[in-house]
Amino acid sequence: MSEGWLALIQQALRLLFSLDPDVWSIVSVSFFVSFAALAITLLPSLILGFMLAFARFPGRWFVTNLVQTLQSIPTVVIGLLGYLLLTRMGPLGDLKWLFTQKGMILGQMMICAPVLVAMSQAAFTSVDKRAWETSRTLGASWLRSIWVVCRELKVPLLMAIVAAFSRIVTEVGCSMMIGGNIADVTRNIPTAIALETSKGDFAQAIALGLVLLILSLILNFTLGTLRGKAEPRSH
């Protein structure tokens, strides 16, 4: 490794450990937006996943296939859809959420919801339905019964949550189009990396990349641990 690269890495580490306000402002925006999108989307997505797994209603096949299709749509296309919805002439233009954190949260909700619904539906489909039937027979409300089933499926549902968060915290297309990459307002880690690299400020880009790398390692180890717990042990 050349001395230039070593100097860049040292500078990047210095930015992180000195708590550089520009770097950590970007990190805080990124984490706030992604955690908020996940928190708002989580409960409705789990309920829809449960309904798709347990209920039989007209249009169920269509909804299931729509959710699976939405998972594969590039985030930049979702960003375009969000932009059209939030622009002044769009149906949600009166909210004035374009180029705001609220708009970014809406865009990331549109990204993580299909992941949560599809993975939770798969988890609920695999569970023994007698847990639900027994809970309902004993007089529990349907929300209480869903909670009982969720406790049985805590590992695959946690895997769904981790997978959804990892998808939104690293996406760039939607955040760039809806957020506008405004400093200290909507600039998150992926959009900042793209900007700083284009400007030639590799130190800050590397610092932010290290944050994403560490986060990815944590999420991957978490997923691996959860998968290990979910697999049946051989005797």
Side-chain angles (χ1 to χ4, degrees), residues 160-215:
I161 293 170
V162 171
F165 180 74
S166 65
R167 176 159 166 76
I168 58 177
V169 78
T170 57
E171 69 83 21
V172 62
C174 182
S175 295
M176 185 74 78
M177 296 194 67
I178 296 179
N181 202 21
I182 303 171
D184 299 322
V185 180
T186 60
R187 183 169 297 167
N188 63 7
I189 296 175
T191 60
I193 290 175
L195 175 66
E196 298 305 324
T197 301
S198 67
K199 289 164 51 180
D201 187 359
F202 295 108
Q204 188 174 104
I206 292 172
L208 295 170
L210 287 173
V211 173
L212 276 188
L213 177 61
I214 293 170
L215 178 63

Side-chain angles (χ1 to χ4, degrees), residues 38 157-167 219-220 222-223 226:
L38 181 63
L157 291 180
L158 282 173
M159 289 171 60
I161 293 170
V162 171
F165 180 74
S166 65
R167 176 159 166 76
L219 291 176
N220 279 317
T222 303
L223 277 174
L226 292 175

Side-chain angles (χ1 to χ4, degrees), residues 70-176:
L70 290 175
Q71 284 189 94
S72 60
I73 295 179
T75 60
V76 69
V77 177
I78 296 178
L80 174 61
L81 175 61
Y83 183 92
L84 294 175
L85 289 173
L86 296 173
T87 192
R88 183 177 301 178
M89 301 299 293
L92 301 180
D94 290 341
L95 295 175
K96 298 181 180 180
W97 282 4
L98 191 62
F99 306 140
T100 67
Q101 290 185 13
K102 292 180 180 178
M104 292 174 67
I105 290 171
L106 178 62
Q108 292 196 3
M109 288 170 61
M110 295 165 64
I111 295 172
C112 72
V115 178
L116 286 170
V117 173
M119 294 188 68
S120 62
Q121 179 188 359
F124 286 127
T125 302
S126 67
V127 76
D128 188 345
K129 291 182 172 56
R130 286 177 295 182
W132 162 261
E133 294 168 354
T134 301
S135 179
R136 293 293 288 157
T137 302
L138 293 175
S141 65
W142 67 274
L143 272 177
R144 177 69 178 175
S145 300
I146 292 177
W147 172 248
V148 170
V149 176
C150 287
R151 288 182 61 184
E152 294 290 324
L153 295 169
K154 57 185 177 181
V155 171
L157 291 180
L158 282 173
M159 289 171 60
I161 293 170
V162 171
F165 180 74
S166 65
R167 176 159 166 76
I168 58 177
V169 78
T170 57
E171 69 83 21
V172 62
C174 182
S175 295
M176 185 74 78

